[in-house]
Short mmCIF file of all heavy atoms in Angstrom, two decimals:
data_model
loop_
_atom_site.label_atom_id
_atom_site.label_comp_id
_atom_site.label_asym_id
_atom_site.label_seq_id
_atom_site.Cartn_x
_atom_site.Cartn_y
_atom_site.Cartn_z
N MET A 10 0.86 -1.21 0.03
CA MET A 10 -0.02 0.02 -0.01
C MET A 10 0.88 1.24 0.01
O MET A 10 1.84 1.35 0.74
CB MET A 10 -0.90 0.00 1.22
CG MET A 10 -1.74 1.25 1.36
SD MET A 10 -2.67 1.32 2.92
CE MET A 10 -3.96 0.20 2.62
N LYS A 11 0.47 2.20 -0.86
CA LYS A 11 1.16 3.50 -0.84
C LYS A 11 0.10 4.58 -0.69
O LYS A 11 -0.93 4.58 -1.36
CB LYS A 11 1.88 3.67 -2.23
CG LYS A 11 2.54 4.99 -2.40
CD LYS A 11 4.08 4.83 -2.18
CE LYS A 11 4.81 6.21 -2.19
NZ LYS A 11 4.77 6.84 -3.50
N ILE A 12 0.38 5.49 0.22
CA ILE A 12 -0.59 6.57 0.57
C ILE A 12 -0.08 7.88 0.07
O ILE A 12 1.13 8.19 0.22
CB ILE A 12 -0.79 6.65 2.08
CG1 ILE A 12 -1.10 5.32 2.68
CG2 ILE A 12 -1.88 7.67 2.39
CD1 ILE A 12 -1.08 5.31 4.24
N THR A 13 -1.00 8.65 -0.47
CA THR A 13 -0.71 10.08 -0.74
C THR A 13 -1.82 10.94 -0.11
O THR A 13 -2.98 10.48 -0.04
CB THR A 13 -0.57 10.41 -2.22
OG1 THR A 13 -1.73 10.00 -2.88
CG2 THR A 13 0.64 9.70 -2.82
N VAL A 14 -1.51 12.13 0.28
CA VAL A 14 -2.53 13.04 0.80
C VAL A 14 -2.46 14.38 0.04
O VAL A 14 -1.39 14.79 -0.39
CB VAL A 14 -2.36 13.33 2.30
CG1 VAL A 14 -2.57 12.07 3.12
CG2 VAL A 14 -0.99 13.91 2.69
N ASP A 15 -3.59 14.99 -0.15
CA ASP A 15 -3.68 16.30 -0.77
C ASP A 15 -3.94 17.34 0.30
O ASP A 15 -5.09 17.49 0.79
CB ASP A 15 -4.83 16.27 -1.81
CG ASP A 15 -4.96 17.62 -2.51
OD1 ASP A 15 -4.28 18.60 -2.10
OD2 ASP A 15 -5.70 17.68 -3.53
N GLN A 16 -2.87 17.98 0.73
CA GLN A 16 -2.98 18.93 1.85
C GLN A 16 -3.89 20.13 1.48
O GLN A 16 -4.48 20.77 2.33
CB GLN A 16 -1.62 19.37 2.38
CG GLN A 16 -0.86 18.26 3.05
CD GLN A 16 0.49 18.74 3.59
OE1 GLN A 16 1.21 19.35 2.88
NE2 GLN A 16 0.77 18.31 4.80
N ASP A 17 -3.94 20.46 0.15
CA ASP A 17 -4.82 21.56 -0.28
C ASP A 17 -6.31 21.22 -0.15
O ASP A 17 -7.13 22.10 0.08
CB ASP A 17 -4.51 21.96 -1.71
CG ASP A 17 -3.13 22.55 -1.85
OD1 ASP A 17 -2.61 23.17 -0.87
OD2 ASP A 17 -2.56 22.45 -2.92
N ALA A 18 -6.63 19.95 -0.25
CA ALA A 18 -7.99 19.50 -0.13
C ALA A 18 -8.42 19.27 1.34
O ALA A 18 -9.64 19.32 1.63
CB ALA A 18 -8.20 18.18 -0.96
N CYS A 19 -7.50 19.03 2.20
CA CYS A 19 -7.81 18.65 3.58
C CYS A 19 -8.48 19.85 4.28
O CYS A 19 -8.04 21.01 4.18
CB CYS A 19 -6.51 18.32 4.30
SG CYS A 19 -6.69 18.07 6.10
N CYS A 20 -9.54 19.52 5.03
CA CYS A 20 -10.27 20.58 5.80
C CYS A 20 -9.89 20.53 7.28
O CYS A 20 -10.51 21.25 8.07
CB CYS A 20 -11.75 20.47 5.61
SG CYS A 20 -12.48 19.02 6.40
N GLY A 21 -9.00 19.63 7.64
CA GLY A 21 -8.53 19.59 9.02
C GLY A 21 -9.49 18.97 10.00
O GLY A 21 -9.45 19.27 11.20
N SER A 22 -10.34 18.13 9.54
CA SER A 22 -11.36 17.51 10.41
C SER A 22 -10.74 16.59 11.50
O SER A 22 -11.28 16.43 12.56
CB SER A 22 -12.38 16.72 9.62
OG SER A 22 -11.77 15.55 9.05
N GLY A 23 -9.63 15.96 11.14
CA GLY A 23 -8.94 15.12 12.12
C GLY A 23 -9.45 13.71 12.20
O GLY A 23 -8.99 12.88 12.99
N LEU A 24 -10.41 13.33 11.36
CA LEU A 24 -11.00 11.97 11.40
C LEU A 24 -9.97 10.92 11.12
O LEU A 24 -9.98 9.83 11.62
CB LEU A 24 -12.21 11.89 10.46
CG LEU A 24 -13.37 12.75 10.84
CD1 LEU A 24 -14.43 12.66 9.75
CD2 LEU A 24 -13.98 12.27 12.15
N CYS A 25 -9.05 11.22 10.20
CA CYS A 25 -8.02 10.26 9.81
C CYS A 25 -7.08 9.95 10.96
O CYS A 25 -6.62 8.82 11.13
CB CYS A 25 -7.19 10.73 8.58
SG CYS A 25 -6.43 12.34 8.82
N VAL A 26 -6.80 10.95 11.79
CA VAL A 26 -5.93 10.79 12.91
C VAL A 26 -6.62 9.90 13.99
O VAL A 26 -5.96 9.05 14.62
CB VAL A 26 -5.50 12.15 13.51
CG1 VAL A 26 -4.61 11.99 14.71
CG2 VAL A 26 -4.87 13.00 12.47
N ILE A 27 -7.90 10.09 14.13
CA ILE A 27 -8.65 9.25 15.10
C ILE A 27 -8.63 7.79 14.65
O ILE A 27 -8.47 6.93 15.46
CB ILE A 27 -10.12 9.75 15.16
CG1 ILE A 27 -10.13 11.12 15.83
CG2 ILE A 27 -10.99 8.78 15.93
CD1 ILE A 27 -11.47 11.87 15.75
N ARG A 28 -8.71 7.56 13.34
CA ARG A 28 -8.77 6.19 12.86
C ARG A 28 -7.41 5.51 12.74
O ARG A 28 -7.29 4.29 12.83
CB ARG A 28 -9.51 6.16 11.52
CG ARG A 28 -10.96 6.47 11.68
CD ARG A 28 -11.75 6.40 10.40
NE ARG A 28 -13.14 6.51 10.71
CZ ARG A 28 -13.99 7.38 10.13
NH1 ARG A 28 -13.58 8.25 9.30
NH2 ARG A 28 -15.28 7.39 10.46
N ALA A 29 -6.37 6.27 12.41
CA ALA A 29 -5.06 5.66 12.18
C ALA A 29 -3.96 6.64 12.59
O ALA A 29 -3.30 7.29 11.81
CB ALA A 29 -4.92 5.31 10.66
N ASP A 30 -3.71 6.70 13.91
CA ASP A 30 -2.79 7.71 14.45
C ASP A 30 -1.34 7.33 14.29
O ASP A 30 -0.46 8.15 14.56
CB ASP A 30 -3.12 8.06 15.86
CG ASP A 30 -2.91 6.86 16.83
OD1 ASP A 30 -2.58 5.76 16.38
OD2 ASP A 30 -3.14 7.07 18.05
N ARG A 31 -1.05 6.13 13.80
CA ARG A 31 0.34 5.83 13.48
C ARG A 31 0.72 6.28 12.08
O ARG A 31 1.94 6.35 11.74
CB ARG A 31 0.55 4.28 13.54
CG ARG A 31 0.70 3.77 14.95
CD ARG A 31 1.36 2.38 14.96
NE ARG A 31 0.50 1.42 14.33
CZ ARG A 31 -0.15 0.47 14.96
NH1 ARG A 31 -0.12 0.43 16.30
NH2 ARG A 31 -0.92 -0.38 14.38
N VAL A 32 -0.29 6.60 11.32
CA VAL A 32 -0.05 6.94 9.86
C VAL A 32 -0.33 8.44 9.62
O VAL A 32 0.34 9.03 8.78
CB VAL A 32 -0.92 6.02 8.99
CG1 VAL A 32 -0.77 6.43 7.53
CG2 VAL A 32 -0.57 4.57 9.20
N PHE A 33 -1.28 8.98 10.31
CA PHE A 33 -1.67 10.39 10.05
C PHE A 33 -1.50 11.24 11.35
O PHE A 33 -1.75 10.75 12.43
CB PHE A 33 -3.11 10.48 9.60
CG PHE A 33 -3.44 9.69 8.36
CD1 PHE A 33 -4.12 8.47 8.52
CD2 PHE A 33 -3.07 10.10 7.09
CE1 PHE A 33 -4.40 7.72 7.36
CE2 PHE A 33 -3.33 9.36 5.97
CZ PHE A 33 -4.03 8.14 6.13
N ASP A 34 -1.13 12.47 11.11
CA ASP A 34 -1.12 13.49 12.20
C ASP A 34 -1.61 14.77 11.60
O ASP A 34 -1.89 14.82 10.41
CB ASP A 34 0.28 13.62 12.76
CG ASP A 34 0.30 14.27 14.14
OD1 ASP A 34 -0.81 14.65 14.63
OD2 ASP A 34 1.34 14.36 14.74
N GLN A 35 -1.74 15.81 12.41
CA GLN A 35 -2.23 17.10 11.93
C GLN A 35 -1.24 18.17 12.30
O GLN A 35 -0.66 18.11 13.37
CB GLN A 35 -3.59 17.46 12.60
CG GLN A 35 -4.71 16.59 12.14
CD GLN A 35 -5.98 16.88 12.93
OE1 GLN A 35 -6.18 16.35 13.99
NE2 GLN A 35 -6.79 17.74 12.40
N ARG A 36 -1.11 19.14 11.38
CA ARG A 36 -0.23 20.31 11.71
C ARG A 36 -0.84 21.09 12.87
O ARG A 36 -2.06 21.27 12.95
CB ARG A 36 -0.16 21.24 10.49
CG ARG A 36 0.64 20.67 9.35
CD ARG A 36 1.08 21.75 8.38
NE ARG A 36 0.04 22.58 7.85
CZ ARG A 36 -0.10 22.87 6.53
NH1 ARG A 36 0.76 22.40 5.67
NH2 ARG A 36 -1.07 23.68 6.14
N GLU A 37 0.02 21.46 13.79
CA GLU A 37 -0.45 22.21 14.99
C GLU A 37 -1.16 23.48 14.63
O GLU A 37 -2.16 23.88 15.24
CB GLU A 37 0.69 22.45 15.95
CG GLU A 37 1.01 21.25 16.79
CD GLU A 37 1.83 21.63 18.00
OE1 GLU A 37 1.81 22.81 18.40
OE2 GLU A 37 2.46 20.74 18.53
N GLU A 38 -0.62 24.20 13.62
CA GLU A 38 -1.11 25.57 13.36
C GLU A 38 -2.48 25.58 12.73
O GLU A 38 -3.26 26.51 12.99
CB GLU A 38 -0.09 26.36 12.57
CG GLU A 38 0.21 25.81 11.20
CD GLU A 38 1.38 24.86 11.17
OE1 GLU A 38 1.63 24.16 12.19
OE2 GLU A 38 2.12 24.79 10.17
N ASP A 39 -2.78 24.63 11.87
CA ASP A 39 -4.11 24.72 11.16
C ASP A 39 -4.82 23.39 11.05
O ASP A 39 -5.88 23.33 10.44
CB ASP A 39 -3.88 25.34 9.81
CG ASP A 39 -2.86 24.54 8.94
OD1 ASP A 39 -2.47 23.42 9.39
OD2 ASP A 39 -2.45 25.02 7.89
N GLY A 40 -4.27 22.31 11.62
CA GLY A 40 -4.95 21.03 11.57
C GLY A 40 -4.88 20.27 10.30
O GLY A 40 -5.51 19.22 10.17
N VAL A 41 -4.16 20.78 9.32
CA VAL A 41 -4.03 20.07 8.02
C VAL A 41 -3.23 18.78 8.24
O VAL A 41 -2.31 18.72 9.02
CB VAL A 41 -3.36 20.98 7.00
CG1 VAL A 41 -2.94 20.21 5.76
CG2 VAL A 41 -4.30 22.06 6.60
N VAL A 42 -3.67 17.77 7.48
CA VAL A 42 -3.08 16.42 7.63
C VAL A 42 -1.61 16.39 7.33
O VAL A 42 -1.12 17.09 6.42
CB VAL A 42 -3.87 15.45 6.74
CG1 VAL A 42 -3.67 15.78 5.26
CG2 VAL A 42 -3.47 14.01 7.05
N MET A 43 -0.89 15.55 8.09
CA MET A 43 0.51 15.29 7.84
C MET A 43 0.60 13.75 7.69
O MET A 43 0.12 13.03 8.54
CB MET A 43 1.42 15.77 8.94
CG MET A 43 1.44 17.21 9.15
SD MET A 43 2.73 17.76 10.30
CE MET A 43 2.38 16.80 11.74
N LEU A 44 1.30 13.29 6.68
CA LEU A 44 1.44 11.86 6.48
C LEU A 44 2.74 11.37 7.15
O LEU A 44 3.79 11.80 6.84
CB LEU A 44 1.53 11.59 4.96
CG LEU A 44 1.58 10.13 4.52
CD1 LEU A 44 0.36 9.35 5.00
CD2 LEU A 44 1.67 10.04 3.04
N LEU A 45 2.54 10.53 8.18
CA LEU A 45 3.71 10.01 8.93
C LEU A 45 4.39 8.84 8.27
O LEU A 45 5.58 8.62 8.45
CB LEU A 45 3.25 9.63 10.35
CG LEU A 45 2.58 10.73 11.19
CD1 LEU A 45 2.13 10.10 12.51
CD2 LEU A 45 3.45 11.90 11.41
N ASP A 46 3.61 8.09 7.51
CA ASP A 46 4.12 6.84 6.93
C ASP A 46 3.44 6.57 5.64
O ASP A 46 2.27 6.17 5.62
CB ASP A 46 3.89 5.68 7.96
CG ASP A 46 4.53 4.40 7.53
OD1 ASP A 46 5.10 4.38 6.42
OD2 ASP A 46 4.46 3.42 8.28
N GLU A 47 4.11 6.82 4.53
CA GLU A 47 3.48 6.65 3.23
C GLU A 47 3.35 5.22 2.82
O GLU A 47 2.60 4.86 1.84
CB GLU A 47 4.22 7.44 2.13
CG GLU A 47 5.58 6.93 1.87
CD GLU A 47 6.25 7.69 0.72
OE1 GLU A 47 5.81 8.82 0.41
OE2 GLU A 47 7.19 7.11 0.15
N ALA A 48 4.03 4.32 3.47
CA ALA A 48 3.98 2.88 3.19
C ALA A 48 3.76 2.08 4.47
O ALA A 48 4.73 1.50 4.95
CB ALA A 48 5.20 2.43 2.43
N PRO A 49 2.59 2.11 5.04
CA PRO A 49 2.37 1.49 6.35
C PRO A 49 2.45 -0.05 6.30
O PRO A 49 2.39 -0.67 5.20
CB PRO A 49 0.96 1.92 6.70
CG PRO A 49 0.28 2.14 5.38
CD PRO A 49 1.34 2.66 4.43
N SER A 50 2.63 -0.64 7.47
CA SER A 50 2.67 -2.08 7.57
C SER A 50 1.27 -2.66 7.45
O SER A 50 0.29 -1.96 7.71
CB SER A 50 3.31 -2.49 8.86
OG SER A 50 2.56 -1.99 9.96
N PRO A 51 1.18 -3.88 7.00
CA PRO A 51 -0.13 -4.49 6.81
C PRO A 51 -1.09 -4.44 7.99
O PRO A 51 -2.28 -4.35 7.84
CB PRO A 51 0.24 -5.97 6.46
CG PRO A 51 1.55 -5.86 5.83
CD PRO A 51 2.26 -4.78 6.59
N GLU A 52 -0.53 -4.42 9.21
CA GLU A 52 -1.42 -4.32 10.39
C GLU A 52 -2.21 -3.03 10.42
O GLU A 52 -3.27 -2.96 11.11
CB GLU A 52 -0.63 -4.49 11.66
CG GLU A 52 0.30 -3.37 11.96
CD GLU A 52 1.25 -3.64 13.13
OE1 GLU A 52 0.79 -3.43 14.29
OE2 GLU A 52 2.39 -4.04 12.91
N ASP A 53 -1.77 -2.03 9.68
CA ASP A 53 -2.43 -0.74 9.67
C ASP A 53 -3.38 -0.54 8.49
O ASP A 53 -4.12 0.48 8.36
CB ASP A 53 -1.46 0.46 9.66
CG ASP A 53 -0.73 0.55 10.99
OD1 ASP A 53 -1.41 0.35 12.02
OD2 ASP A 53 0.47 0.87 11.00
N PHE A 54 -3.41 -1.54 7.57
CA PHE A 54 -4.16 -1.35 6.31
C PHE A 54 -5.65 -1.09 6.61
O PHE A 54 -6.25 -0.25 5.95
CB PHE A 54 -4.05 -2.57 5.42
CG PHE A 54 -2.70 -2.71 4.72
CD1 PHE A 54 -1.69 -1.80 4.91
CD2 PHE A 54 -2.50 -3.74 3.80
CE1 PHE A 54 -0.45 -1.92 4.25
CE2 PHE A 54 -1.29 -3.86 3.13
CZ PHE A 54 -0.26 -2.96 3.35
N GLU A 55 -6.23 -1.90 7.51
CA GLU A 55 -7.65 -1.76 7.71
C GLU A 55 -7.98 -0.33 8.24
O GLU A 55 -8.95 0.31 7.79
CB GLU A 55 -8.09 -2.78 8.75
CG GLU A 55 -9.58 -2.90 8.90
CD GLU A 55 -10.05 -4.02 9.86
OE1 GLU A 55 -9.23 -4.98 10.02
OE2 GLU A 55 -11.10 -3.93 10.41
N ASP A 56 -7.18 0.15 9.21
CA ASP A 56 -7.41 1.48 9.71
C ASP A 56 -7.23 2.59 8.65
O ASP A 56 -7.97 3.57 8.60
CB ASP A 56 -6.48 1.75 10.88
CG ASP A 56 -6.82 0.94 12.13
OD1 ASP A 56 -7.97 0.40 12.18
OD2 ASP A 56 -5.97 0.81 13.03
N VAL A 57 -6.19 2.35 7.82
CA VAL A 57 -5.93 3.34 6.76
C VAL A 57 -7.08 3.38 5.74
O VAL A 57 -7.49 4.47 5.29
CB VAL A 57 -4.57 3.03 6.07
CG1 VAL A 57 -4.41 3.90 4.80
CG2 VAL A 57 -3.42 3.28 7.04
N ARG A 58 -7.58 2.21 5.42
CA ARG A 58 -8.73 2.20 4.43
C ARG A 58 -9.91 2.88 5.08
O ARG A 58 -10.64 3.60 4.37
CB ARG A 58 -9.03 0.72 4.14
CG ARG A 58 -8.02 0.07 3.23
CD ARG A 58 -8.54 -1.31 2.76
NE ARG A 58 -7.44 -2.04 2.10
CZ ARG A 58 -6.86 -3.15 2.60
NH1 ARG A 58 -7.29 -3.65 3.73
NH2 ARG A 58 -5.86 -3.71 1.93
N ALA A 59 -10.16 2.67 6.32
CA ALA A 59 -11.26 3.35 7.01
C ALA A 59 -11.07 4.84 7.04
O ALA A 59 -12.00 5.65 6.84
CB ALA A 59 -11.45 2.81 8.45
N ALA A 60 -9.83 5.27 7.27
CA ALA A 60 -9.53 6.73 7.28
C ALA A 60 -9.71 7.34 5.87
O ALA A 60 -10.35 8.39 5.77
CB ALA A 60 -8.08 6.95 7.70
N ALA A 61 -9.31 6.62 4.84
CA ALA A 61 -9.53 7.14 3.47
C ALA A 61 -10.97 7.20 3.13
O ALA A 61 -11.45 8.21 2.54
CB ALA A 61 -8.75 6.31 2.47
N ALA A 62 -11.70 6.18 3.46
CA ALA A 62 -13.09 6.11 3.13
C ALA A 62 -13.91 7.19 3.92
O ALA A 62 -14.91 7.70 3.41
CB ALA A 62 -13.66 4.71 3.43
N GLY A 63 -13.43 7.48 5.10
CA GLY A 63 -14.18 8.45 5.93
C GLY A 63 -13.74 9.87 5.83
O GLY A 63 -14.38 10.76 6.41
N CYS A 64 -12.72 10.12 5.05
CA CYS A 64 -12.22 11.51 4.83
C CYS A 64 -13.31 12.31 4.15
O CYS A 64 -13.70 11.99 3.02
CB CYS A 64 -10.96 11.55 4.08
SG CYS A 64 -10.39 13.21 3.72
N PRO A 65 -13.79 13.40 4.74
CA PRO A 65 -14.92 14.10 4.14
C PRO A 65 -14.56 14.85 2.84
O PRO A 65 -15.47 15.26 2.15
CB PRO A 65 -15.33 15.11 5.27
CG PRO A 65 -14.07 15.22 6.10
CD PRO A 65 -13.42 13.92 6.04
N THR A 66 -13.30 15.07 2.58
CA THR A 66 -12.92 15.81 1.37
C THR A 66 -12.20 14.92 0.34
O THR A 66 -11.76 15.44 -0.68
CB THR A 66 -11.97 17.01 1.74
OG1 THR A 66 -10.79 16.46 2.28
CG2 THR A 66 -12.65 17.92 2.74
N GLY A 67 -12.03 13.67 0.59
CA GLY A 67 -11.38 12.79 -0.34
C GLY A 67 -9.90 13.10 -0.53
O GLY A 67 -9.27 12.93 -1.56
N ALA A 68 -9.31 13.61 0.61
CA ALA A 68 -7.87 14.07 0.48
C ALA A 68 -6.87 12.93 0.60
O ALA A 68 -5.68 13.14 0.35
CB ALA A 68 -7.66 15.08 1.58
N ILE A 69 -7.35 11.71 0.92
CA ILE A 69 -6.45 10.62 1.13
C ILE A 69 -6.62 9.67 -0.04
O ILE A 69 -7.71 9.17 -0.31
CB ILE A 69 -6.72 9.90 2.43
CG1 ILE A 69 -6.55 10.80 3.64
CG2 ILE A 69 -5.84 8.63 2.60
CD1 ILE A 69 -7.09 10.22 4.95
N ARG A 70 -5.50 9.34 -0.71
CA ARG A 70 -5.54 8.43 -1.87
C ARG A 70 -4.68 7.20 -1.50
O ARG A 70 -3.56 7.34 -1.01
CB ARG A 70 -5.00 9.06 -3.13
CG ARG A 70 -5.85 10.24 -3.62
CD ARG A 70 -7.12 9.69 -4.32
NE ARG A 70 -8.15 10.69 -4.38
CZ ARG A 70 -8.19 11.65 -5.32
NH1 ARG A 70 -7.21 11.76 -6.21
NH2 ARG A 70 -9.17 12.52 -5.34
N LEU A 71 -5.21 6.02 -1.93
CA LEU A 71 -4.46 4.79 -1.66
C LEU A 71 -4.18 4.10 -2.98
O LEU A 71 -5.06 4.02 -3.85
CB LEU A 71 -5.31 3.83 -0.79
CG LEU A 71 -5.83 4.40 0.52
CD1 LEU A 71 -6.60 3.32 1.26
CD2 LEU A 71 -4.72 4.93 1.40
N ALA A 72 -2.96 3.60 -3.07
CA ALA A 72 -2.62 2.70 -4.19
C ALA A 72 -2.29 1.38 -3.59
O ALA A 72 -1.35 1.31 -2.75
CB ALA A 72 -1.45 3.28 -4.98
N GLU A 73 -3.01 0.33 -3.99
CA GLU A 73 -2.80 -0.97 -3.33
C GLU A 73 -2.31 -2.00 -4.34
O GLU A 73 -2.44 -1.84 -5.52
CB GLU A 73 -4.07 -1.47 -2.70
CG GLU A 73 -4.63 -0.43 -1.74
CD GLU A 73 -5.46 -1.08 -0.62
OE1 GLU A 73 -5.00 -2.10 -0.06
OE2 GLU A 73 -6.49 -0.53 -0.26
S1 LIG B 3 -9.90 13.10 7.43
FE1 LIG B 3 -9.36 14.10 5.44
S2 LIG B 3 -10.02 16.24 5.75
FE2 LIG B 3 -9.90 15.29 7.80
S3 LIG B 3 -7.82 15.73 8.56
FE3 LIG B 3 -7.71 13.74 7.56
S4 LIG B 3 -7.11 14.21 5.40
FE4 LIG B 3 -7.84 16.10 6.32
#
């Protein structure tokens, strides 16, 4: 799995961080997503898929 995020599309909701905090974080100043791990381990795949599916702006893209 390879993850990319579109920081321009992110609205800073933080839902991805709630679902997969080993992979996503938020910038302190404005809450925009930061990608901590663009190639997560398989144990995180389910959480990452949930984060991508639940992102309200479609800012998370997965290549599997
Ligand atoms: S769920 Fe989407 S919009 Fe919300 S912080 Fe994460 S990437 Fe940004």
Side-chain angles (χ1 to χ4, degrees):
M10 176 187 283
K11 178 101 186 292
I12 307 170
T13 55
V14 295
D15 181 350
Q16 291 182 314
D17 292 332
C19 175
C20 70
S22 68
L24 294 173
C25 56
V26 180
I27 292 169
R28 291 183 169 125
D30 64 358
R31 282 198 294 257
V32 177
F33 303 103
D34 200 355
Q35 291 173 275
R36 291 199 303 226
E37 277 197 23
E38 61 269 32
D39 56 11
V41 167
V42 66
M43 296 189 305
L44 185 57
L45 301 178
D46 186 357
E47 66 176 19
S50 60
E52 67 188 278
D53 289 323
F54 284 5
E55 188 176 339
D56 289 344
V57 170
R58 289 188 190 112
C64 175
T66 64
I69 300 169
R70 294 283 161 81
L71 307 181
E73 306 211 41

